[in-house]
Amino acid sequence: MAKYSLKINGKTQQVDADPSTPMLWVLRDHLNLPGTKYGCGMAQCGACTIHLDGNATRSCVLPVSAIGKSAITTIEGLSASGTHPVQKAWLEHDVAQCGYCQTGQIMSAAALLKSNPKPSDADIDAAMSGNICRCGTYLRIKEAIKAVAP
Amino acid sequence: MDNTNNYIENLENSPSGGKGAPSRRSFLKSSALAGGGLMLSFSWFAEAKAAEKIANLPETWSELTGYIKITPENVIKIFCPNPEFGQNVMTSLPMMVAEELDCDWGNVVVEMGTHDNVKFGPQFSGGSNSIKMYWKPLRNAGAAARQMLMEATAQTWGVSVGEITTKAGVLSHSSGKSATYGEMAAKAATITVPKNVKLKAIKDFTIISNSQKNTEGLKVVTGKPLFGIDYKVDGMLIAMIQHPPAFGMKLKSFDATAAKKMPGIKDIFSFKLFDEGYELSGFADTRTFNEMVAIVGKTTWEVMNARKKINFQWEATGEVKEISKGWRGEKIETTVPARIESTANQLEMMAEFADGRHPAKPAKQLRKDGDPEAAFKNAAQVIERTYNAPFLAHNCMEPMNFFAHVQDDKALVAGPLQGPAWMEPTLMKLLNLPADKIEIQMTRMGGGFGRRAYGSYAFEAARISQKLKAPIKLIYTREDDMTYGIYRPMYTATYRAALDANKNLIGFHVTGGGIPENPIHANRFPAGCIDNYLADSWEIPTNITVGFFRAPGSNFNAAAEQSFLDEVAAAMGKDPIEMRLDLLKRAKENPVGKNNDYDASRYAGVLELLKEKSGWGKPENAGKKRGVAAYFCHAAYAGHVVDMVMRDGLPYVEHVTSAVDCGVIINPDAARNMVEGAVVDGIGQSFYGALTHKNGAAEQSNFHNYRMIRHNEAPKKIDVHFVQNEIDPTGLGEPPFPPVFGAVANALFKTTGKRYYNQPFTKEFSNS
């Protein structure tokens, strides 16, 4: 076990965990932030996507010991009340079916739009194809992303 | 097992469907989920305002019928009876209540009901039944509450109830008096719930048939703890289970000495799910393995690490006899074979059965019309094709999990279940507690697709908590979820068509089988359209567990039959849509046989709409590589035209036109979402889906080797069209899914010039 001081959603949080613990489980088990989802544990599905210094990152393969001074944003930090433009677009397009993958989808989309405010279809495919949706809401996700782009 | 396909489609008649369920009283009144407080879902989308309203929610509720509560401020709470797994029942079912209540949808909050079959009916999500089975009860509840409000108002104002009118949650009288529902709710709650209330005419609907946003949307996009895997209470432990590594194997011994010393570990022990001599009570007791090892500790990562340090010894199970109770109460003795299976052997066995080489009993006849033997003997041309499809894993994005807190005199269990009432009798037996001492909370499910109709993970969680006398949450890893699934069965079917010298279809024969279930629905199209018709089936027992998977049986039949009909149409020299319409004309005007399960007019209606909306046969579409298919299942009719291209050496579905007849559309935009999702899922499953075995073990364990359709593989556009009618509605979780497979198969032929008979289709492409 080791002690870590982590910058999460703008706040500094203390965590006592095994250095190999993936951020996914630090968030869910230690910090009570369950919006980041477990889907595969091997960076194949994207349900656990968070922002590490603004970049979309799979938290299920990111050990807590690797974070250092980097800033983490989770879905809870994107906006608590659903006012982020991507969250609003998701609601306007009524994207979700079961909803389980959607926080990861939103985090991937928000990172994409920050680095590329007007993505092409190919850009969206490239940025989003690591996020699986078993319900098949991909078309609505694409529409929602395009609606955010100016 | 051949009853299960029909069973899931007719579940509302089942003995476990709520009727006669024991009266129960919750020992915990609130439906508080993790994090505390009521988890209300809002019908409005008002950004920060919604949060404000949550904070200021009033505490005085007047209850009108079990489904509705109203505050003096006119906030209307509607309880959703059925578990939510993405089919959007938490919006569509309350819409039915709100419509007849005649309230303002903007004032409605939705809350998941408690599990209480007396108050809320059958409470299961499966077989696309939610909409169908609640269509009348929920409208009656809304209309009864409206009537109570009108009577309370008439008494208050001293006028006759017939003079009161309602609109959008306001009661009015010609004298100019008016009051909100909230103002009259307390008095209305004292009035006896009326029976035989009058329902609105469909033309007068203002909420139903108008698109309403998902009431849980805001909680989904802000990552609230909605799912079973998010469930948390103080002092809760995390549990995982090690099952045998292969079907046909069982636990011999294990050594957890080192693992028990690892940080955070509370206990490691083996347990049996069901005791010796336990009588399995139908499909609800389906479980992959009976004996397993539980690893319990403080955090997920600690439990995962300890699990790796255990030394396990496994041995062959051998042949096992099991006694179970059928859903009609009959005793069934089953022999579970010892065979350790591999996919190559499975395919070989299937081929032997399919062509009659296998010495086991011959295929069982399911339906026979006319004289099919003579028709085939006299045929000028016989077309025969065999189709195969593999086991499929459900791969719900939320892996199986369950919370349990078992105490000496009561138990609380919570998690993702499609039918909590199905699991209750087994929980009672395992925990030796009466129904009113077991509270089952229904969490939102991260997908279901039939998988969560089987709650063995809930029983496992209960067993672990029972042993430790502590609250625990059991979590399956993705590997656990995929490698000991309750899979879609492996299917094969051989179709034969007899044509006379004038290319008329004079005989039709389907023989279908599977491991361990056959997929055949013998009384569906094209039965009823052909004078000489034969359907038969065979089954091969296995120790691999199978179960319902989105449109059971249909998800294979629609691929095989609709692909076969395309070849028959070509041999007859007919357009594939016209050929189907000709067959349906026969079924409409002069049907063969009496037990035809489908309505030929509605089936034809979907094909006509599809033809029109896709521009089928129009010159401007001549260059497109298109495939068509339509199918009936789960009380609805659906068809698709798929436009395919080759992209980087692989087929790609670029555009889809869909037509659906499911009766009245409750929530149009959400209904479109369901159809779009079914199309994407259908393309993915038919192109990539496969769970294969080697020496009894699943060869796929996670998404790196079980391919799922992804963003870049989804069509660019899906146009969804509904037949407009006033027929009682049904759900859309399943009906649009099966015909995707057939339309894809037919488009593949147009695109590549080759017919594909074996799923997954892209397996045969070199760069797949």
Side-chain angles (χ1 to χ4, degrees):
Chain A
M1 302 292 259
K3 288 196 181 350
Y4 297 93
S5 185
L6 303 170
K7 265 192 279 177
I8 298 172
N9 298 332
K11 279 191 293 190
T12 302
Q13 306 239 40
Q14 309 299 325
V15 172
D16 191 7
D18 185 274
S20 68
T21 311
M23 268 316 294
L24 167 68
W25 300 113
V26 171
L27 294 169
R28 292 185 59 83
D29 287 353
H30 296 255
L31 297 173
N32 205 19
L33 291 169
T36 305
K37 300 300 184 201
Y38 167 65
C40 69
M42 59 187 302
Q44 291 290 320
C45 79
C48 66
T49 304
I50 58 169
H51 294 173
L52 188 68
D53 292 331
N55 299 313
T57 305
R58 311 295 183 227
S59 67
C60 71
V61 292
L62 178 69
V64 62
S65 58
I67 305 297
K69 291 189 161 52
S70 293
I72 286 171
T73 306
T74 71
I75 188 74
E76 290 89 349
L78 198 63
S79 92
S81 50
T83 50
H84 186 280
V86 176
Q87 289 169 317
K88 282 164 75 173
W90 246 247
L91 293 170
E92 277 155 18
H93 289 80
D94 226 359
V95 171
Q97 285 188 29
C98 87
Y100 190 78
C101 75
Q102 298 298 349
T103 50
Q105 304 272 3
I106 288 168
M107 294 308 281
S108 288
L112 164 69
L113 286 161
K114 204 167 182 189
S115 65
N116 181 359
K118 214 173 172 186
S120 66
D121 280 12
D123 295 337
I124 296 173
D125 283 347
M128 301 300 296
S129 288
N131 288 75
I132 297 173
C133 173
R134 169 72 172 85
C135 300
T137 63
Y138 297 131
L139 279 81
R140 282 176 189 244
I141 289 173
K142 194 172 270 182
E143 283 168 21
I145 292 172
K146 286 179 166 180
V148 178
Chain B
M1 283 184 142
D2 55 356
N3 280 327
T4 48
N5 289 347
N6 292 328
Y7 177 51
I8 191 73
E9 294 208 34
N10 296 294
L11 275 171
E12 67 205 281
N13 302 320
S14 79
S16 55
K19 286 171 210 148
S23 176
R24 58 193 307 283
R25 179 177 49 82
S26 295
F27 59 83
L28 280 175
K29 276 286 182 197
S30 106
S31 64
L33 283 180
L38 292 170
M39 296 291 284
L40 293 172
S41 291
F42 284 76
S43 60
W44 61 76
F45 167 53
E47 300 178 15
K49 273 193 201 154
E52 209 174 286
K53 287 197 182 182
I54 292 172
N56 298 327
L57 257 186
E59 295 294 327
T60 19
W61 296 98
S62 299
E63 183 169 333
L64 282 80
T65 81
Y67 287 99
I68 301 158
K69 285 184 179 178
I70 304 179
T71 73
E73 298 79 8
N74 208 24
V75 175
I76 295 167
K77 187 197 286 182
I78 300 177
F79 292 94
C80 175
N82 260 20
E84 172 69 79
F85 60 177
Q87 83 281 44
N88 210 4
V89 282
M90 283 194 75
T91 308
S92 55
L93 296 185
M95 282 171 72
M96 297 178 187
V97 179
E99 180 66 66
E100 295 291 345
L101 180 60
D102 209 22
C103 65
D104 180 351
W105 181 249
N107 286 340
V108 171
V109 295
V110 172
E111 188 179 326
M112 178 54 73
T114 52
H115 181 241
D116 183 339
N117 296 149
V118 175
K119 193 171 176 182
F120 290 122
Q123 295 193 282
F124 72 81
S125 289
S128 302
N129 274 306
S130 296
I131 294 286
K132 189 168 61 164
M133 71 188 175
Y134 281 105
W135 173 237
K136 288 204 169 118
L138 292 186
R139 284 191 302 146
N140 279 331
R146 174 175 170 267
Q147 184 70 29
M148 290 156 79
L149 287 159
M150 287 164 66
E151 277 173 27
T153 309
Q155 285 172 23
T156 307
W157 293 344
V159 299
S160 129
V161 70
E163 293 168 33
I164 306 282
T165 57
T166 62
K167 194 178 179 186
V170 177
L171 299 132
S172 306
H173 184 257
S174 55
S175 62
K177 280 184 178 151
S178 76
T180 66
Y181 283 6
E183 290 168 295
M184 292 296 170
K187 190 176 176 87
T190 65
I191 291 169
T192 310
V193 180
K195 292 194 170 103
N196 306 318
V197 286
K198 195 169 176 286
L199 299 178
K200 282 185 182 178
I202 285 172
K203 66 173 173 50
D204 296 330
F205 284 168
T206 59
I207 295 171
I208 291 176
S209 299
N210 292 286
S211 293
Q212 312 293 355
K213 299 281 189 222
N214 190 331
T215 58
E216 296 232 297
L218 186 61
K219 282 183 286 184
V220 166
V221 304
T222 51
K224 293 289 179 292
L226 297 170
F227 301 93
I229 205 165
D230 304 332
Y231 204 98
K232 203 171 202 174
V233 300
D234 286 343
M236 183 183 81
L237 298 166
I238 300 292
M240 288 203 176
I241 285 176
Q242 182 67 49
H243 289 72
F247 291 97
M249 303 294 284
K250 65 176 181 179
L251 181 67
K252 188 180 177 192
S253 63
F254 70 100
D255 178 4
T257 316
K260 277 186 181 177
K261 289 179 191 149
M262 292 183 64
I265 296 307
K266 171 90 178 168
D267 203 354
I268 297 171
F269 57 92
S270 68
F271 69 99
K272 282 188 175 160
L273 194 61
F274 301 137
D275 296 328
E276 287 306 320
Y278 178 89
E279 187 184 84
L280 298 167
S281 51
F283 79 91
D285 280 351
T286 305
R287 85 288 197 207
T288 46
F289 298 97
N290 198 53
E291 190 177 13
M292 55 209 93
V293 174
I295 307 102
V296 188
K298 265 170 63 185
T299 65
T300 313
W301 188 245
E302 288 167 325
V303 171
M304 283 177 165
N305 282 333
R307 182 179 172 181
K308 290 181 202 148
K309 300 286 183 200
I310 307 172
N311 287 314
F312 293 100
Q313 302 293 319
W314 312 102
E315 62 186 345
T317 309
E319 193 174 277
V320 177
K321 298 263 186 220
E322 285 193 332
I323 308 287
S324 59
K325 197 162 73 184
W327 66 285
R328 290 187 190 90
E330 75 278 18
K331 273 202 175 185
I332 304 166
E333 191 178 309
T334 318
T335 303
V336 182
R339 198 176 57 239
I340 308 269
E341 297 188 16
S342 294
T343 297
N345 316 111
Q346 290 161 342
L347 286 167
E348 177 58 26
M349 269 192 300
M350 302 267 272
E352 284 177 9
F353 267 84
D355 66 15
R357 275 180 293 143
H358 199 277
K361 64 180 180 185
K364 182 170 130 195
Q365 186 175 301
L366 302 174
R367 171 168 173 150
K368 185 176 176 181
D369 297 319
D371 189 346
E373 292 82 0
F376 279 94
K377 206 174 142 200
N378 300 330
Q381 186 187 353
V382 172
I383 306 162
E384 178 177 326
R385 302 286 184 265
T386 296
Y387 302 81
N388 285 292
F391 292 102
L392 293 175
H394 293 80
N395 294 339
C396 304
M397 291 311 294
E398 179 197 16
M400 301 306 119
N401 65 83
F402 224 79
F403 170 85
H405 188 194
V406 177
Q407 294 170 269
D408 289 339
D409 58 344
K410 63 182 181 182
L412 166 65
V413 295
L417 285 176
Q418 289 180 228
W422 303 333
M423 306 306 141
E424 194 175 67
T426 302
L427 285 168
M428 288 163 66
K429 280 186 259 181
L430 296 188
L431 302 179
N432 197 24
L433 286 171
D436 66 354
K437 295 293 179 191
I438 302 173
E439 178 173 354
I440 307 177
Q441 289 182 9
M442 300 180 289
T443 57
R444 187 179 185 88
M445 287 174 268
F449 311 104
R451 175 63 185 85
R452 295 191 224 264
Y454 309 90
S456 55
Y457 47 89
F459 308 150
E460 291 165 353
R463 280 294 203 206
I464 296 167
S465 176
Q466 184 182 35
K467 157 107 181 171
L468 295 178
K469 297 187 188 301
I472 67 104
K473 180 169 66 186
L474 169 67
I475 300 175
Y476 281 22
T477 62
R478 174 58 58 194
E479 288 79 5
D480 296 334
D481 191 281
M482 202 180 284
T483 60
Y484 47 93
I486 296 182
Y487 306 113
R488 195 282 297 268
M490 194 172 180
Y491 291 131
T492 189
T494 299
Y495 285 80
R496 296 161 68 218
L499 304 186
D500 69 10
N502 297 320
K503 301 194 174 187
N504 295 309
L505 178 59
I506 56 167
F508 193 90
H509 176 207
V510 55
T511 183
I515 302 175
E517 284 184 8
N518 86 81
I520 300 301
H521 291 111
N523 296 322
R524 288 197 187 153
F525 179 81
C529 309
I530 303 157
D531 287 312
N532 307 298
Y533 174 94
L534 178 65
D536 44 43
S537 70
W538 47 267
E539 295 177 336
I540 304 173
T542 182
N543 50 33
I544 295 166
T545 41
V546 302
F548 310 134
F549 184 106
R550 196 174 205 174
S554 305
N555 59 43
F556 170 72
N557 296 332
E561 164 208 298
Q562 290 291 309
S563 179
F564 183 66
L565 288 179
D566 236 44
E567 286 201 69
V568 175
M572 293 167 78
K574 286 188 178 181
D575 171 84
I577 291 186
E578 295 309 320
M579 178 262 199
R580 286 167 172 84
L581 288 171
D582 286 350
L583 287 173
L584 288 161
K585 191 161 175 261
R586 170 70 199 273
K588 248 188 290 188
E589 290 171 358
N590 181 24
V592 180
K594 282 183 185 135
N595 298 321
N596 298 319
D597 286 347
Y598 60 96
D599 181 322
S601 300
R602 293 181 72 186
Y603 205 137
V606 157
L607 279 163
E608 295 282 8
L609 183 63
L610 199 53
K611 197 169 118 182
E612 178 204 327
K613 297 294 182 186
S614 69
W616 185 263
K618 291 269 159 69
E620 65 267 29
N621 293 318
K624 289 182 181 163
K625 309 295 183 191
R626 324 190 94 177
V628 64
Y631 199 73
F632 160 76
C633 68
H634 299 274
Y637 303 78
H640 310 284
V641 167
V642 155
D643 293 344
M644 193 179 278
V645 295
M646 289 302 286
R647 194 177 71 172
D648 305 327
L650 278 173
Y652 168 63
V653 177
E654 206 164 36
H655 180 216
V656 179
T657 310
S658 305
V660 179
D661 177 358
C662 60
V664 174
I665 320 294
I666 307 298
N667 193 5
D669 189 51
R672 276 194 290 278
N673 198 349
M674 289 308 295
V675 178
E676 291 162 10
V679 166
V680 172
D681 190 19
I683 295 167
Q685 302 290 348
S686 66
F687 271 8
Y688 315 120
L691 192 288
T692 57
H693 292 95
K694 192 171 182 186
N695 300 326
E699 290 188 285
Q700 295 74 29
S701 58
N702 205 320
F703 298 129
H704 66 298
N705 57 10
Y706 196 115
R707 190 164 167 189
M708 308 281 285
I709 189 166
R710 290 174 182 270
H711 273 274
N712 59 325
E713 295 155 339
K716 291 197 172 97
K717 201 159 184 276
I718 302 172
D719 291 315
V720 182
H721 306 275
F722 291 99
V723 174
Q724 302 295 326
N725 60 36
E726 297 197 350
I727 297 169
D728 284 353
T730 191
L732 283 170
E734 283 152 310
F737 180 62
V740 179
F741 291 69
V744 164
N746 294 333
L748 264 175
F749 172 67
K750 290 287 167 59
T751 309
T752 66
K754 188 177 168 235
R755 282 273 164 197
Y756 289 81
Y757 301 102
N758 302 314
Q759 291 175 41
F761 295 133
T762 63
K763 208 175 108 190
E764 295 177 44
F765 289 82
S766 56
N767 49 349
S768 65

